[in-house]
Amino acid sequence: MGLVTGACLAEAGHEVICTDIDAERIAKLRAGQVPIYEHHLDQILVSAGNAGKISYTADAGEAIRFGEAIFICVGTPPRPDGSADLSAIDHVAQQIAAEARSSKLVIEKSTVPARTGIELQRALTAYSRGGNGFRVASNPEFLREGTAVEDFFHPDRVVVGVEDHAAAEQLHEIYRPILERKFSCPVHSGKCPDNKAEFLVTTISSAELIKHASNSFLALKISYANAVSDLCEKLGANVEEVTHAMGLDPRIGTQFLRAGLGFGGFCFPKDIQAFISLAATVGVDFEILKAAERVNRQRIDRFLEKISKALWVVKGKRVAILGLAFKANTDDIRFAPALEVMRRLLQEGAEVHACDPQALEKAMNQFPLAHFHEDPYQALQGAHAALICTEWEQYKKLDWEKAGKAMARKLIVDGRNLYSPATLRELGFEYVSFGRE
Ligand code: UDX
């Protein structure tokens, strides 16, 4: 999300220079190519580029010397024990200490465990031998993939964790155009919703904790809905009726209660693990999050059980996987449930035909034994089952009458509860979903 942050800050009027360890990525950006699929990003990169507000360099030193404020947006992937790998942050700290020629505000944007800011401050001081007077702040991002640009311009809250008033002032100044809506947001072309974001100043550790606690809570909410969904199946209730009614209580809210294949992506799975791991380092057993993680892992087993039960014998069957991305409107397949489903079906000897509107290219390299199609109807041709793994709008609107004629068996196992069971059954399909009869 570093590129989104850079692009949006440039669009908001700041002078931004982006750097990355991947020189090829920088070359692409300089050539006007956008290396990730993110709605509106291409548009704002062009407009910020034309306004001369954003530039790119593979020379980290140049980028470090350029700005008064440096946002660190590097990855913090999980280590084998679930804790966050902070080596990229440490590497950037060494670069900043070596390359900076003046005082800088160094802002952690990456999701990091609490106390990272304190360690970062210590590291910057040590690496620079006390020079340059670096100040550290935490500014967690709450951007969802697919709507990241919109989320940046219309945040619910901007959280800044600081140690001194001056850092809070500087960050307020950076976010002022967004907080005060001083410019026309490119997402809504002048017709922005008028909710105002709160600017929250906290300690650095609180800011770091806010991010992990928020993401883990959302993941917990999804797992709760999934546990309720399993219960609905046993008791003959309908999970959508249950979660909808639950959500109308404003203390609960309707969002993030969609049952199905569970959560994936590069945030929830790793953040929940990192939070459990952080808690363990201070002697807290975060049991409730361990349970949420377990429930999520079991979603794949539950889905495969449904497939096996419906198909009887999986080996030799031709199955179509609709959706590979971890959610709709992104090409991101990191920790995507669909990939694990695909891996296990291939292992069982199924012939897998997969499609996705954006993520095909990324998935192809990882699965030489699977077949890939851009057109969902081609993937469904001759299939014994259609497996819905991502909630793409295109798949919601699929013409199942047409698809059914091309399939070898009219069976849908829906991991995202996209369709009305009654409608699909009227079309002659066997239809299996989560928490609904
Ligand atoms: C998340 C947070 O929402 C965002 O604030 C943070 O900055 C980064 O992590 P993101 O990873 O882009 O964003 O995805 P999100 O939209 O939150 O969905 C996460 C996963 O949960 C997806 O796999 C999605 O399919 C799944 N999900 C979501 C459900 O299974 N049910 C739901 O009700 C909602």
Side-chain angles (χ1 to χ4, degrees):
M1 288 292 160
L3 185 59
V4 173
T5 302
C8 291
L9 287 174
E11 181 70 14
H14 298 297
E15 312 273 330
V16 177
I17 187 163
C18 300
T19 188
D20 197 289
I21 200 163
D22 181 349
E24 204 182 311
R25 177 170 273 242
I26 294 295
K28 273 191 181 165
L29 284 162
R30 291 179 108 159
Q33 291 169 28
V34 186
I36 52 164
Y37 172 75
E38 186 62 53
H39 203 32
H40 297 296
L41 183 58
D42 46 357
Q43 177 193 338
I44 57 170
L45 283 175
V46 169
S47 83
N50 289 343
K53 293 288 184 191
I54 192 162
S55 58
Y56 315 93
T57 176
D59 176 358
E62 184 192 348
I64 287 162
R65 285 185 290 279
F66 175 87
E68 296 156 44
I70 299 171
F71 283 88
I72 304 182
C73 306
V74 295
T76 52
R79 292 196 297 194
D81 67 355
S83 63
D85 179 348
L86 302 176
S87 54
I89 299 216
D90 180 51
H91 179 239
V92 172
Q94 293 180 41
Q95 284 183 317
I96 295 174
E99 301 286 352
R101 300 286 174 266
S102 58
S103 163
K104 306 278 174 192
L105 178 63
V106 180
I107 306 148
E108 338 161 307
K109 208 54 167 143
S110 313
T111 302
V112 290
R115 303 192 65 77
T116 302
I118 293 168
E119 292 299 334
L120 180 60
Q121 178 75 69
R122 231 161 47 93
L124 283 168
T125 308
Y127 297 149
S128 63
R129 297 173 191 272
N132 279 330
F134 295 112
R135 287 163 308 130
V136 167
S138 163
N139 171 219
E141 52 98 340
F142 304 100
L143 311 179
R144 291 162 301 171
E145 288 186 27
T147 53
V149 172
E150 185 173 349
D151 292 348
F152 195 95
F153 289 124
H154 298 283
D156 309 308
R157 75 281 206 209
V158 173
V159 176
V160 298
V162 293
E163 283 199 320
D164 60 285
H165 185 68
E169 279 290 300
Q170 204 172 340
L171 276 156
H172 190 267
E173 207 43 46
I174 291 171
Y175 280 101
R176 186 188 295 280
I178 286 144
L179 296 165
E180 295 180 0
R181 296 280 164 72
K182 281 274 165 64
F183 68 106
S184 165
C185 138
V187 178
H188 301 98
S189 25
K191 293 190 192 107
C192 294
D194 51 23
N195 61 310
K196 284 255 159 74
E198 275 200 49
F199 185 77
L200 301 169
V201 181
T202 69
T203 63
I204 294 180
S205 290
S206 293
E208 292 164 334
L209 213 68
I210 287 166
K211 172 70 194 233
H212 265 145
S214 300
N215 271 5
S216 296
F217 185 79
L218 290 171
L220 190 66
K221 210 175 164 190
I222 297 169
S223 279
Y224 185 82
N226 279 324
V228 170
S229 161
D230 288 350
L231 211 53
C232 286
E233 284 179 18
K234 300 264 186 239
L235 300 173
N238 180 316
V239 70
E240 272 164 7
E241 291 173 357
V242 175
T243 52
H244 175 67
M246 279 169 61
L248 292 179
D249 180 335
R251 290 171 302 175
I252 297 174
T254 49
Q255 294 188 54
F256 281 72
L257 286 177
R258 255 186 4 257
L261 254 180
F263 57 81
F266 203 57
C267 290
F268 285 179
K270 85 175 167 66
D271 289 354
I272 201 170
Q273 273 186 20
F275 207 29
I276 291 169
S277 169
L278 170 75
T281 62
V282 288
V284 175
D285 187 0
F286 220 144
E287 271 181 83
I288 193 170
L289 289 188
K290 288 183 184 166
E293 207 192 11
R294 195 167 57 243
V295 168
N296 196 55
R297 268 200 309 272
Q298 287 164 350
R299 302 323 288 163
I300 314 266
D301 302 334
R302 300 275 299 109
F303 192 57
L304 288 158
E305 277 161 30
K306 285 174 192 284
I307 296 166
S308 295
K309 197 170 159 204
L311 281 176
W312 180 41
V313 173
V314 172
K315 190 172 175 187
K317 296 283 160 57
R318 178 170 169 150
V319 294
I321 294 187
L322 269 54
L324 297 170
F326 82 96
K327 65 170 192 179
N329 302 319
T330 175
D331 62 350
D332 196 345
I333 54 168
R334 291 175 296 175
F335 298 97
L339 298 201
E340 182 60 12
V341 168
M342 177 142 79
R343 196 183 60 75
R344 293 222 222 153
L345 287 171
L346 286 167
Q347 220 168 38
E348 283 194 46
E351 181 185 325
V352 177
H353 290 256
C355 63
D356 189 282
Q358 294 294 340
L360 277 193
E361 213 176 301
K362 289 193 171 157
M364 269 174 182
N365 309 328
Q366 293 185 30
F367 293 92
L369 294 180
H371 307 264
F372 294 92
H373 307 266
E374 279 185 8
D375 178 4
Y377 297 102
Q378 262 175 30
L380 288 162
Q381 185 77 35
H384 294 99
L387 313 176
I388 316 294
C389 291
T390 312
E391 61 280 26
W392 283 101
E393 204 53 39
Q394 290 93 319
Y395 301 157
K396 280 186 203 161
K397 292 185 187 143
L398 220 65
D399 179 349
W400 281 105
E401 204 164 350
K402 173 180 161 189
K405 287 189 186 127
M407 292 175 72
R409 177 175 171 179
K410 291 173 81 172
L411 166 65
I412 300 174
V413 186
D414 184 354
R416 296 294 178 187
N417 286 2
L418 285 198
Y419 312 106
S420 136
T423 312
L424 268 290
R425 283 182 193 132
E426 265 164 37
L427 289 173
F429 278 90
E430 301 167 74
Y431 180 72
V432 183
S433 59
F434 276 96
R436 309 180 302 172
E437 293 206 316

